[in-house]
Amino acid sequence: MKIIRFLVISILVVLAYSCTEPMLLNPEETPRGIFVTYDAISWNINSEDIAGTPVTGTFDAPANNVASLDVYVKRLYDDGASESDYIFLETITEFPHDFSVDGNELAMLFGVPVEETFANFYTFNCEANGADGQIATYEDLEGELIAYQAQMQGFRFEAAVVCPSDPDVIVGTYSALTSGSFPDFDPFTDFAYDITITTTEEEGIYTISDFSFGTYDFHYGPWYGGGDLPGTIQDVCGKFFITSTNDPWGETVSGDFTFNPDGTITVVGGTTWGETWTAVLTKQ
């Protein structure tokens, strides 16, 4: 259970800090992993300025045991119902490296007109090659968020081709009625809570004051400190969804927004731990 996991981690932290004798490691005997970082700068390609709004970021290798990084990319289209295979994009051999690829380059890579990529997503898959011949892929990452010298790390990140977003469609204060179930508790129905959705400086990116519509505070408040848990909403050519959001335990949060004829919004969401909810939002 998530609560038990929290208590176990807390005990381990106390035990770790209670040690009075330092642990001395011989650097020559310490296993070394492969670790590459990516600092994203922009991940939205504007459909009205394809060449001028590339996907950009910086790759870096904090240690000197990374020989290269291979970057692959796949295209997701038809509202996510279809996807391509991964295609090789480039090999990076010097770090730090300023990464940049625009929508025209990606469309050409997949052999489609750039207009067909509007509202498409791109998933970038990165595989790190160690100086000793080891290869670190995304699948090498541990299920729990841990860090140790031998960690093998490949990773993935996403980008999208977006259209101009109309804030009036979604910005405002809403009364939410939420029903759902959490693994550690009984199902709940029509839990009432108020949330606010606001703009950000990024085109098509919005902030929701509490991605759980108050349900985390009600169920888990004592274990994470309570209060609202902000999340990020993205608009990709009229498709609104929760993105780049994690709960206090690091679980990935999802949520899809449907705009109903009566003016309400239905949000179907949950987490990778198993919490699920459906919220109906009425604008105040």
Side-chain angles (χ1 to χ4, degrees):
M1 294 186 349
K2 179 175 286 189
I3 296 172
I4 292 177
R5 184 175 69 170
F6 171 80
L7 294 174
V8 170
I9 291 173
S10 299
I11 293 170
L12 290 175
V13 170
V14 171
L15 290 175
Y17 278 92
S18 67
C19 296
T20 57
E21 294 295 328
M23 181 180 294
L24 301 179
L25 298 176
N26 183 345
E28 297 301 322
E29 298 176 356
T30 302
R32 303 176 69 191
I34 303 173
F35 188 77
V36 178
T37 64
Y38 180 68
D39 182 14
I41 298 173
S42 62
W43 52 89
N44 283 343
I45 301 170
N46 191 323
S47 64
E48 294 190 345
D49 186 13
I50 292 291
T53 55
V55 179
T56 60
T58 302
F59 287 105
D60 201 0
N64 62 359
N65 62 328
V66 177
S68 62
L69 183 77
D70 294 329
V71 182
Y72 302 82
V73 60
K74 72 176 178 180
R75 172 177 168 245
L76 292 84
Y77 52 101
D78 293 338
D79 289 331
S82 304
E83 64 180 53
S84 71
D85 294 329
Y86 278 107
I87 297 178
F88 174 75
L89 181 62
E90 67 172 302
T91 295
I92 298 167
T93 57
E94 295 184 359
F95 302 93
H97 173 80
D98 292 329
F99 175 76
S100 179
V101 61
D102 68 34
N104 289 321
E105 295 170 317
L106 289 168
M108 185 178 299
L109 182 68
F110 288 96
V112 297
V114 70
E115 292 78 14
E116 289 188 16
T117 68
F118 293 179
N120 287 187
F121 292 86
Y122 293 104
T123 300
F124 295 84
N125 186 56
C126 304
E127 297 183 356
N129 302 294
D132 58 359
Q134 289 180 301
I135 299 176
T137 69
Y138 178 77
E139 286 74 19
D140 289 321
L141 284 174
E142 300 288 345
E144 298 290 339
L145 185 61
I146 60 177
Y148 61 98
Q149 291 90 343
Q151 173 68 67
M152 302 286 285
Q153 186 210 28
F155 57 90
R156 294 174 182 162
F157 61 94
E158 285 196 343
V161 182
V162 302
C163 308
S165 184
D166 181 4
D168 292 339
V169 172
I170 198 166
V171 166
T173 299
Y174 295 85
S175 299
L177 289 177
T178 306
S179 301
S181 63
F182 283 19
D184 302 323
F185 299 91
D186 293 331
F188 55 92
T189 303
D190 290 341
F191 180 86
Y193 202 76
D194 290 344
I195 60 96
T196 300
I197 299 174
T198 56
T199 59
T200 69
E201 295 181 356
E202 182 83 15
E203 170 76 23
I205 301 294
Y206 303 87
T207 297
I208 184 169
S209 59
D210 189 334
F211 66 75
S212 75
F213 309 98
T215 58
Y216 259 60
D217 179 62
F218 180 79
H219 291 97
Y220 295 143
W223 288 275
Y224 74 86
D228 285 350
L229 297 170
T232 300
I233 301 171
Q234 184 171 3
D235 170 19
V236 177
C237 299
K239 180 178 175 62
F240 290 80
F241 54 94
I242 299 286
T243 185
S244 303
T245 300
N246 299 93
D247 78 357
W249 288 270
E251 302 295 336
T252 300
V253 178
S254 62
D256 293 316
F257 290 67
T258 299
F259 295 84
N260 304 313
D262 63 0
T264 62
I265 302 173
T266 300
V267 185
V268 178
T271 77
T272 47
W273 183 259
E275 291 89 355
T276 61
W277 56 78
T278 299
V280 177
L281 312 184
T282 302
K283 203 166 191 177
Q284 295 182 359

